[in-house]
Amino acid sequence: MTEHIVVVGHGMVAHRFVSTLASRWATADLTVTVIGEESDPAYDRVGLSSYVGEWDRESLHLEDAQHAADPRVTVRSGQLVTSIDREVREVELTSGERIAYDTLVLATGSRAFVPPVPGHDLPGCHVYRTLDDLDGIRAAAERAGAGSHGVVIGGGLLGLEAANAVSLLGLTPHVVERNDRLMPLQVDAGGGHVLASLIRDLGIEIHLSITGTEITETADGVSVRLTDDEGVTTVVDAAFVVFSAGVRPRDELARLSGLDTAERGGILTDLGCRTSDPNIYAIGECAAIDGTCYGLVGPGYTSAEVAASTILSGEGEFTGADLSTKLKLLGVDMASFGDAHGVTPGCLEVVVNDPVAGTYSKLVMSDDATTLLGGVFVGDSGPYSLLKPLVGRALPSDDPISLISRTTDAGPGVGVEALPDEAQICSCNAVTKGDVREAICGGACDVADLKSCTRAGTSCGSCIPLLKQVLEAEGVEQSTALCEHFEQSRSELFEIVTVTGIRTFSGLIERFGHGTGCDICKPTVASILASTSSDHVLDGEQAALQDTNDHFLANIQKNGTYSVVPRMPGGEVSAEQLIVIGEIARDHDLYVKVTGGQRIDMFGARVEELPVIWKRLVDAGMESGHAYGKSLRTVKSCVGTSWCRYGQQDSVGMAVTMENRYRGLRAPHKIKMAVSGCARECAEARGKDVGVIATETGWNLYVGGNGGATPRHAQLLVGDLTDEELIRYIDRTVMFYVRTAERLQRMAPWLESMDGGIDHLREVVCNDSLGLAAELEGRMEAHVAGYVDEWSAVLDDPDKLARFVSFVNAPESPDPTVEFEEQDGRKVPVLLGSPAMPARA
Amino acid sequence: MTATLSPTEIVVCSLDRLIPGRGVAALLPDGRQIAVYLLDDGSVHALCNIDPIARAAVMSRGLVGDRGGVPVAISPIGKQAYALDDGRGIDDEAYGLSVFPARVVDGTVLVSTQPAIRHQTSRTAA
């Protein structure tokens, strides 16, 4: 008989439970119904704050949250369970519908705790918990307008996230904390002091030791009276108040149905996650496992896996939780782990407090200074990922200060080699160093492999540098050599070309490589030379380096003919130009297709026909669309304000400006861009390397999206830009990419492999942290100034034109092997040795 | 032309029509076609122009270079490499290209119409 499991709640933990179950129940006869209260299926609540600014719910959805391909799983969103009938084993929904279960899993999570301060239930009061909550806060912020204030009650992890959101919404945040320091659970007094000063520097007001809070309604928001423990009162007139003062387990359903609960709340379970009813389990933040509630996703995931295991095999045991915390908020690093507060009897502490650098580091050790117990890092959490797995183990050095002092860039004086196999590398997914090593022995040879076979690095991503180190420690050479002819990577060769001024492949390979080159290094060097000057790609020795597409300035197709794509900036084309394209296609018998990038592609041109076709296009005012190059392809756009009822900015005008600016720029890989005139995103800008989306007041700039086999949504780099700022930041971003990316690396993996990711890029682009901005802009200006249409340049040069012949000794003879046939009315190439399809009877 | 042309040789073009490191296509009198390459060291080489894997007449448009020190021509379609001296497939030995003796005399490129080495896979085409 099929067993039916009903899961109440559809958050991250419920999703992990169902995924774990689904991956292991191939033989068991089970069906699962998941009932979620929110209108969205499970999403990344840990990443809730990243919703601010992008307002894209789908980007937070967990992979396969609906289990769409699995007929055994039914997900019902937007439904609330109101009661459990344990006698007949049924749950009842608000609609009155009853669903029978054999096993019930409660994953109801927790709710935001709202302290009972006077006025806490006024309309201007919000909590920080769900996507809907954030939408409400956003609406309130927009009503209030820039320059207003927002009060956040709670100075812990959640409170700082909420303050971050308030800041991103353009308001001045005020953080209110009962304790005498921020993040009192994770950080000690010394660290809290450094943290407060770092956060104040960001323009966030901090109110500590607040004993009394009173909220009253005003004409345009709320007035918040704050009284500290010395009796001093501050009044903040704010647009709204956000409560983020902790969470409470949602155990009311369990209480109503008579399940045991823990003294301080939470559904009481044993270590196998079973409640007092053997048919009911509780997991995640609503569960008090052996009496303890855990408000973190890591232990939640563990409980999901334990419950799945208990249900399937009767065996599963929760063996403790990792309560370490690491965050990077508002650009401020903070991490704590183990016995951060030094409560172990007799423990010793080593502290490095550097108020000038704005860093605070502390290690807690056993009374004989041999065993690591815990630590706190504020301002620079560099040593955290390596030290955390060593909790309870011997210190890897006799000199503890060397482990936490910031004297070198090399990081702590401990390598990943020092970690035991049981040490957790990825605490989000409980992946140990042993798991990673096993995967490496099984053939995983890079971070991407490790991610897919161990799940390490797939949640918060902070362990990715550690994964690289394990690979290195295991002797998996992460070679960056371009090919057998150059030991250097593309980015290193780029620097060599820039620094030495060498402008020939022969000069470069003679000094820095060996052999005569190949199809990998020649086009790469060709691209570097093209990115660093405005010489025509077919000039001089460079002509010999170009891959066939660049050599013939058209796209080679499977039978050796070419396709031709004229540039249509922003997808605009005149009627006259359309007629010319039609005439060319008719006269040369070309197959015509509109591309995915808002252009027209003509297929089937023989090599000797290319100049004739270009001439007619150039005469009609068109130029090469660089469809063949590793270069800017198109800047797609919607119609924007000129025609669209919803358009907020002139997206076509901006797309044309961008396309004309970056046309012809050679890059490590093709670059696609798009501009959408409003948040409806008709141009699909977030699927592009560079995406621009109009807001009411300017442009939001996204980077690192792409389609292809591993689609990625672009991430918000910076918001609300003027036209000039937008172009300046794109200049810098694209040139930084051209300069530092590896061969055939698109912007998404480039960004992913960058230490610090989007935050680092933002520092480089917006705050000029590397001091490169002027040089990057200068290079782009030089490119723009030196741009010449490549087709015209060939038409004007008889030497180059002479290369576009079928046969050097018979230029008048077309290639006799090129043949086409019609299939379903469509012209297709016939390859040599494959007879034409017999005509249909 | 001072040099003596052998009965099986044809004139392809003057040497200055070739770019070092690239190829050109040439038509043989019987309709077969060859890819003629000029290397940086001044030597010329000729292979069958038909890519045996892609089955298109494109070899002349690929790059040349070396694989492990062996001079090669590389298919512009599938990027497979073929040795310039004996036409063997470096990436897949099942495929190869016929090799035609080529030489330069007084600034003129000459190629034999009789391949010195024939490869099964390309015999149908060249």
Side-chain angles (χ1 to χ4, degrees):
Chain A
M1 199 191 90
T2 303
E3 183 179 340
H4 187 216
I5 299 177
V6 171
V7 181
V8 183
H10 197 203
M12 301 174 78
V13 169
H15 178 62
R16 173 58 66 92
F17 170 77
V18 178
S19 305
T20 306
L21 207 56
S23 66
R24 292 175 46 186
W25 74 13
T27 53
D29 208 2
L30 295 174
T31 55
V32 175
T33 301
V34 188
I35 302 163
E37 179 185 1
E38 290 185 61
S39 54
D40 292 83
Y43 58 86
D44 177 11
R45 200 188 304 282
V46 173
L48 185 67
S49 296
S50 68
Y51 177 56
V52 178
E54 313 198 4
W55 306 110
D56 177 4
R57 288 180 174 235
E58 281 183 21
S59 71
L60 285 179
H61 285 177
L62 296 178
E63 200 182 337
D64 198 22
Q66 304 272 24
H67 302 274
D70 194 333
R72 302 167 302 183
V73 181
T74 308
V75 174
R76 304 181 56 174
S77 300
Q79 312 236 16
L80 185 66
V81 173
T82 51
S83 65
I84 305 168
D85 188 338
R86 291 166 51 196
E87 290 288 310
V88 296
R89 291 196 215 156
E90 283 180 349
V91 294
E92 185 170 332
L93 309 184
T94 19
S95 60
E97 186 187 350
R98 293 171 75 89
I99 299 174
Y101 65 81
D102 298 298
T103 301
L104 184 66
V105 177
L106 299 175
T108 46
S110 53
R111 67 161 49 80
F113 168 63
V114 178
V117 298
H120 67 84
D121 48 3
L122 287 171
C125 292
H126 301 259
V127 297
Y128 193 84
R129 183 70 189 159
T130 65
L131 294 172
D132 287 343
D133 293 337
L134 262 63
D135 282 343
I137 294 169
R138 177 195 188 189
E142 283 175 353
R143 274 195 303 276
S148 310
H149 298 256
V151 173
V152 174
I153 309 280
L157 193 84
L158 267 180
L160 293 183
E161 289 217 13
N164 192 23
V166 171
S167 175
L168 287 172
L169 286 165
L171 275 61
T172 303
H174 292 253
V175 174
V176 179
E177 170 58 43
R178 243 168 355 109
N179 282 278
D180 60 356
R181 61 179 186 273
L182 295 172
M183 302 193 67
L185 290 182
Q186 292 87 3
V187 178
D188 59 355
H193 187 72
V194 174
L195 185 62
S197 86
L198 289 172
I199 286 182
R200 279 202 177 98
D201 287 348
L202 297 163
I204 295 175
E205 304 281 340
I206 300 174
H207 308 269
L208 297 174
S209 306
I210 298 302
T211 54
T213 306
E214 195 181 340
I215 305 165
T216 50
E217 202 165 5
T218 62
D220 51 1
V222 288
S223 176
V224 187
R225 286 174 68 85
L226 303 168
T227 309
D228 67 17
D229 54 10
E230 290 176 356
V232 180
T233 297
T234 310
V235 178
V236 182
D237 285 318
F240 53 78
V241 172
V242 180
F243 288 102
S244 48
V247 294
R248 295 291 181 268
R250 291 185 59 178
D251 56 10
E252 62 275 10
L253 196 57
R255 285 177 193 275
L256 273 174
S257 36
L259 295 174
D260 291 348
T261 51
E263 203 174 318
R264 299 174 61 187
I267 307 163
L268 194 62
T269 76
D270 62 12
L271 289 173
C273 295
R274 273 174 295 244
T275 68
S276 50
D277 178 331
N279 298 312
I280 304 181
Y281 293 73
I283 55 177
E285 296 188 359
C286 68
I289 301 166
D290 203 27
T292 307
C293 286
Y294 300 93
L296 291 169
V297 75
Y301 278 171
T302 307
S303 70
E305 283 161 11
V306 166
S309 179
T310 314
I311 290 168
L312 288 174
S313 66
E315 288 170 17
E317 187 170 295
F318 192 86
T319 52
D322 176 11
L323 300 179
S324 59
T325 316
K326 179 173 189 290
L327 84 159
K328 189 176 180 69
L329 259 183
L330 307 144
V332 175
D333 271 349
M334 198 298 298
S336 80
F337 63 98
D339 181 10
H341 293 287
V343 297
T344 308
C347 67
L348 303 175
E349 294 185 356
V350 176
V351 174
V352 177
N353 191 355
D354 182 348
V356 179
T359 62
Y360 175 91
S361 313
K362 178 174 86 170
L363 284 189
V364 181
M365 295 160 293
S366 59
D367 53 6
D368 57 355
T370 58
T371 307
L372 181 64
L373 300 177
V376 175
F377 296 96
V378 177
D380 173 19
S381 59
Y384 163 82
S385 52
L386 269 173
L387 290 174
K388 192 198 70 172
L390 289 173
V391 167
R393 298 176 180 278
L395 276 173
S397 161
D398 296 338
D399 174 16
I401 288 186
S402 71
L403 298 174
I404 54 173
S405 61
R406 275 166 36 104
T407 48
T408 65
D409 288 339
V414 49
V416 74
E417 297 87 349
L419 297 184
D421 271 352
E422 311 86 84
Q424 268 192 11
I425 298 286
C426 170
S427 51
C428 299
N429 294 289
V431 181
T432 64
K433 181 181 168 191
D435 298 334
V436 173
R437 275 167 28 111
E438 195 178 313
I440 293 171
C441 291
C445 55
D446 56 24
V447 171
D449 286 352
L450 290 177
K451 277 178 159 183
S452 63
C453 57
T454 66
R455 295 178 90 153
T458 56
S459 295
C460 77
S462 67
C463 62
I464 286 173
L466 222 50
L467 293 177
K468 287 184 189 159
Q469 290 180 37
V470 179
L471 280 163
E472 276 164 26
E474 292 299 303
V476 181
E477 200 174 322
Q478 303 286 293
S479 171
T480 57
L482 183 62
C483 65
E484 63 175 277
H485 303 102
F486 284 99
E487 307 289 337
Q488 302 84 353
S489 66
R490 179 195 175 276
S491 55
E492 288 164 344
L493 282 176
F494 194 102
E495 292 303 318
I496 288 173
V497 167
T498 312
V499 172
T500 61
I502 294 176
R503 300 296 307 165
T504 61
F505 179 80
S506 49
L508 199 61
I509 202 162
E510 193 180 324
R511 272 192 63 191
F512 297 96
H514 31 84
T516 60
C518 65
D519 54 318
I520 293 172
C521 56
K522 282 183 167 180
T524 301
V525 171
S527 164
I528 293 172
L529 294 174
S531 300
T532 49
S533 91
S534 293
D535 300 342
H536 193 274
V537 294
L538 299 183
D539 277 344
E541 198 204 271
Q542 276 201 58
L545 307 178
Q546 309 295 341
D547 212 347
T548 185
N549 281 0
D550 279 292
H551 195 73
F552 290 94
L553 306 178
N555 293 47
I556 196 168
Q557 303 296 343
K558 61 194 292 184
N559 68 339
T561 60
Y562 289 86
S563 72
V564 175
V565 185
R567 186 168 297 293
M568 286 183 191
E572 288 183 319
V573 60
S574 70
E576 281 307 318
Q577 290 170 332
L578 271 181
I579 290 168
V580 169
I581 288 172
E583 286 173 345
I584 291 171
R586 180 195 59 207
D587 296 349
H588 292 270
D589 196 15
L590 305 178
Y591 166 70
V592 182
K593 185 174 191 320
V594 174
T595 71
Q598 302 185 333
R599 304 196 290 195
I600 295 173
D601 201 347
M602 293 171 271
F603 289 79
R606 297 161 187 272
V607 64
E608 68 274 18
E609 292 177 295
L610 293 173
V612 189
I613 292 172
W614 296 341
K615 174 87 171 52
R616 292 173 72 174
L617 290 168
V618 169
D619 287 348
M622 307 181 85
E623 58 181 35
S624 167
H626 291 103
Y628 45 84
K630 302 291 181 225
S631 54
L632 177 78
R633 296 292 172 89
T634 56
V635 184
K636 192 175 174 181
S637 72
C638 65
V639 295
T641 40
S642 38
W643 293 86
C644 176
R645 289 180 292 150
Y646 304 108
Q648 291 184 311
Q649 306 285 344
D650 176 15
S651 56
V652 184
M654 182 51 76
V656 171
T657 301
M658 284 163 53
E659 186 154 348
N660 287 339
R661 186 168 181 82
Y662 305 117
R663 62 188 167 182
L665 177 71
R666 293 302 197 280
H669 207 298
K670 64 187 169 190
I671 301 176
K672 295 183 175 185
M673 302 188 183
V675 185
S676 276
C678 77
R680 282 171 185 77
E681 250 283 71
C682 296
E684 295 160 332
R686 291 195 59 205
K688 302 291 186 284
D689 299 279
V690 174
V692 177
I693 302 176
T695 68
E696 221 169 277
T697 49
W699 305 101
N700 282 351
L701 172 57
Y702 296 81
V703 295
N706 63 221
T710 46
R712 303 257 164 69
H713 255 151
Q715 305 174 61
L716 181 68
L717 184 70
V718 52
D720 260 340
L721 300 168
T722 63
D723 290 8
E724 293 72 29
E725 288 169 332
L726 177 69
I727 295 297
R728 189 184 322 141
Y729 288 158
I730 298 176
D731 278 5
R732 293 179 185 178
T733 303
V734 170
M735 225 6 128
F736 189 49
Y737 162 70
V738 166
R739 176 169 168 159
T740 61
E742 296 310 331
R743 173 180 170 266
L744 299 187
Q745 189 176 39
R746 282 192 71 174
M747 284 181 83
W750 169 69
L751 199 52
E752 205 167 82
S753 67
M754 190 184 291
D755 276 344
I758 186 94
D759 293 324
H760 177 65
L761 181 64
R762 191 178 296 118
E763 282 298 308
V764 172
V765 168
C766 305
N767 299 331
D768 195 14
S769 61
L770 298 182
L772 279 175
E775 188 193 330
L776 297 173
E777 283 174 39
R779 282 189 182 280
M780 191 62 87
E781 284 303 337
H783 164 76
V784 174
Y787 171 80
V788 175
D789 171 39
E790 285 168 3
W791 288 350
S792 303
V794 168
L795 296 173
D796 293 342
D797 183 336
D799 278 352
K800 286 176 188 149
L801 263 184
R803 298 170 193 165
F804 293 84
V805 292
S806 52
F807 298 104
V808 68
N809 61 343
E812 306 305 319
S813 308
D815 180 352
T817 69
V818 172
E819 268 188 77
F820 298 94
E821 64 170 5
E822 295 248 324
Q823 269 180 23
D824 302 329
R826 187 181 304 144
K827 179 176 175 166
V828 293
V830 178
L831 295 176
L832 270 177
S834 51
M837 298 273 287
R840 289 195 189 142
Chain B
M1 178 86 35
T2 53
T4 317
L5 244 135
S6 88
T8 58
E9 269 183 329
I10 62 157
V11 171
V12 171
C13 60
S14 69
L15 182 62
D16 57 19
R17 284 295 303 275
L18 301 186
I19 302 173
R22 284 221 90 97
V24 294
L27 198 58
L28 298 183
D30 61 0
R32 290 174 301 160
Q33 42 183 307
I34 51 171
V36 183
Y37 304 94
L38 171 63
L39 301 193
D40 288 321
D41 64 8
S43 62
V44 293
H45 302 259
L47 298 175
C48 167
N49 193 36
I50 311 281
D51 178 334
I53 297 175
R55 291 177 291 153
V58 293
M59 286 306 300
S60 62
R61 293 180 238 159
L63 286 159
V64 298
D66 75 89
R67 289 279 169 89
V70 177
V72 293
I74 297 156
S75 160
I77 305 259
K79 307 294 181 192
Q80 299 87 2
Y82 299 89
L84 283 169
D85 56 0
D86 62 7
R88 71 183 189 278
I90 303 285
D91 300 304
D92 186 344
E93 287 179 3
Y95 295 93
L97 292 172
S98 298
V99 182
F100 295 77
R103 60 183 179 135
V104 179
V105 176
D106 292 342
T108 300
V109 179
L110 307 177
V111 173
S112 167
T113 58
Q114 300 300 316
I117 300 172
R118 282 178 187 274
H119 271 275
Q120 187 69 38
T121 50
S122 54
R123 193 176 295 159
T124 49

